[in-house]
Amino acid sequence: MAPSLDDESSLFNFVVRDGNGVKGIVDSGISKVPRPYIQPPAEQINKKNASKCEIPPIDLSKLDGPEHDEVANQIVRAAETLGFFQVVNHGVPIQLLDTLKQTAHNFFGLPAERKAVYRKEVSPSPLVKYGTSFVPEKEKALEWKDYISMAYTNENEALQQWPMECRDVALQYLKTSHEMVKKLLDALMANLGVELDDSNIDAFIGKKMVNMNFYPTCPNPELTVGVGRHSDMGTLTILLQDGIGGLYVKVPEDIDMEKKGEWVEIPPIPGALVINIGDMLQIWSNGRYKSAEHRVRTTSTKSRVSIPIFTSPQATQKVAPLPQVVEKDGMAHYREFLFSDYMNSFFGNAHDGKKSLDFAKVNF
């Protein structure tokens, strides 16, 4: 039964409490976007105005050969400018990526009551959360998105607690991408004067989470967003996007690049993974690396899925700019804090560009 689109509380209950998600609204046969999803004009995405990001993907297989330094420099350069890049020959099997996309579609195609089991308020596991939008109770306009989020502690707990419909393939994705994440982080940290090894890697990527995002078709895509403007709070995000596209990144104002201040689309490249720099890398590097401000548009033609892996420090980890970087720069631009405090601030506010970093900024 379709909700009343004019009654916000019945719409909210239908979408959030009953586990229908945005997909449930679309399946009910709507012909226009319900008012709570209509973004202010400044947040709406004009597809016609955006250009595509034409930077070629980085071939990670070359990190293991004579071109190692050149490829490491490409990774560093991308982190210092756009904060976003794509990688190929990354070691994650292409067949697995295809299975992941199909599995995400299958999960969101389940009956609402099967997904509602994992709503934050009732989930049988603290590791698993099904939801919609980002922080619905704090947002001026809701995001046109449903998601399932699976936190990783160890393999046994994941096998026991992640939803059986997607756990095996999500675990495989996490495991097969680990070597790639280590290589990327190694290149980025070596440039800052830190050598990564088994004793210190958890300080940077000790916490991992796999999400599956679902962006249903939208009758008025120009009025909505799939995800609002934000940067990711962690270290590195590894993102599989499907062939539909809709991911936009803002070119920072303070770098010497064409299109500064503009939004550019990151076009899907078959077999590639998208990597983006998170807030923690910006902080450790004292601002040299840029966490990427990005957002997602919706489409009227076909439902879209994306599957990110979020890596970050453990909640109990202290984070501050690296001392050797501060020494070179002459001052720290960010204060020390516990990562759990940063997380609480991040999830306690609606998306608003890179304002998440204000939590840690030192005011001069």
Side-chain angles (χ1 to χ4, degrees):
M1 159 98 169
S4 160
L5 299 190
D6 300 319
D7 177 358
E8 289 193 23
S9 67
S10 82
L11 179 73
F12 191 81
N13 286 341
F14 175 84
V15 172
V16 177
R17 192 195 62 200
D18 300 341
N20 289 285
V22 178
K23 183 178 186 298
I25 307 180
V26 175
D27 290 349
S28 73
I30 57 161
S31 57
K32 61 173 189 173
V33 168
R35 197 180 58 217
Y37 291 90
I38 296 177
Q39 295 288 331
E43 301 299 334
Q44 293 169 10
I45 300 173
N46 187 333
K47 186 182 166 187
K48 295 185 186 76
N49 281 358
S51 54
K52 283 195 163 42
C53 177
E54 304 296 355
I55 301 169
I58 296 173
D59 184 344
L60 286 191
S61 65
K62 293 182 176 173
L63 270 177
D64 298 326
E67 294 173 72
H68 173 276
D69 291 356
E70 190 184 322
V71 176
N73 284 338
Q74 289 173 5
I75 293 165
V76 166
R77 170 79 183 142
E80 290 175 339
T81 51
L82 201 55
F84 243 89
F85 53 101
Q86 299 202 61
V87 293
V88 290
N89 297 325
H90 39 62
V92 183
I94 302 301
Q95 190 181 357
L96 175 63
L97 300 183
D98 291 338
T99 306
L100 271 163
K101 289 180 271 195
Q102 189 53 55
T103 302
H105 277 289
N106 294 350
F107 179 83
F108 290 100
L110 290 170
E113 57 273 16
R114 177 75 193 97
K115 295 177 285 190
V117 167
Y118 292 107
R119 282 190 308 110
K120 182 171 66 174
E121 299 77 10
V122 297
S123 179
S125 167
L127 304 181
V128 184
K129 186 174 106 180
Y130 164 78
T132 186
S133 203
F134 178 61
V135 192
E137 59 280 7
K138 291 279 180 85
E139 289 162 341
K140 294 190 182 97
L142 299 171
E143 298 173 341
W144 196 260
K145 174 186 92 164
D146 301 328
Y147 67 88
I148 182 85
S149 174
M150 296 167 278
Y152 181 81
T153 44
N154 59 59
E155 189 157 350
N156 274 349
E157 287 197 339
L159 287 168
Q160 285 167 17
Q161 300 182 39
W162 288 10
M164 58 182 270
E165 294 88 353
C166 50
R167 71 176 178 213
D168 294 341
V169 68
L171 258 176
Q172 201 57 27
Y173 181 37
L174 197 65
K175 280 158 48 176
T176 54
S177 64
H178 184 63
E179 206 49 45
M180 170 191 66
V181 173
K182 273 170 51 178
K183 284 179 180 175
L184 292 169
L185 195 59
D186 199 41
L188 292 165
M189 285 299 172
N191 178 59
L192 300 175
V194 173
E195 201 172 313
L196 276 191
D197 57 38
D198 289 346
S199 70
N200 67 357
I201 193 162
D202 271 6
F204 302 107
I205 55 165
K207 184 179 165 71
K208 299 175 192 71
M209 189 186 310
V210 183
N211 274 27
M212 288 184 169
N213 299 326
F214 185 73
Y215 305 95
T217 53
C218 179
N220 313 99
E222 69 287 353
L223 300 178
T224 58
V225 298
V227 182
R229 300 175 295 110
H230 72 290
S231 53
D232 290 346
M233 68 171 178
T235 304
L236 284 171
T237 301
I238 292 81
L239 176 78
L240 169 63
Q241 54 170 346
D242 62 17
I244 293 165
L247 175 63
Y248 290 78
V249 178
K250 192 173 190 184
V251 182
E253 304 269 7
D254 59 346
I255 58 164
D256 185 21
M257 242 179 128
E258 264 188 273
K259 302 175 183 155
K260 57 170 74 175
E262 288 180 35
W263 288 93
V264 294
E265 184 169 7
I266 305 292
I269 296 173
L273 289 166
V274 179
I275 310 294
N276 73 295
I277 304 297
D279 289 350
M280 294 307 107
L281 270 172
Q282 178 160 332
I283 290 165
W284 282 314
S285 69
N286 208 31
R288 289 186 196 188
Y289 297 153
K290 313 291 182 198
S291 64
E293 184 177 350
H294 55 290
R295 61 184 182 175
V296 175
R297 71 168 162 79
T298 59
T299 171
S300 59
T301 51
K302 211 172 174 191
S303 294
R304 173 179 182 264
V305 292
S306 70
I307 301 104
I309 295 173
F310 298 107
T311 68
S312 62
Q314 293 281 15
T316 52
Q317 184 71 40
K318 283 184 176 171
V319 177
L322 295 164
Q324 54 271 57
V325 182
V326 174
E327 197 177 326
K328 270 188 187 158
D329 293 350
M331 65 171 73
H333 298 302
Y334 304 93
R335 64 183 179 84
E336 185 180 77
F337 54 88
L338 270 181
F339 185 61
S340 57
D341 292 337
Y342 197 93
M343 274 168 57
N344 291 338
S345 169
F346 187 84
F347 287 113
N349 295 287
H351 282 147
D352 190 4
K354 290 185 66 168
K355 283 227 175 116
S356 49
L357 279 157
D358 291 352
F359 175 84
K361 271 186 184 151
V362 173
N363 296 315
F364 300 109

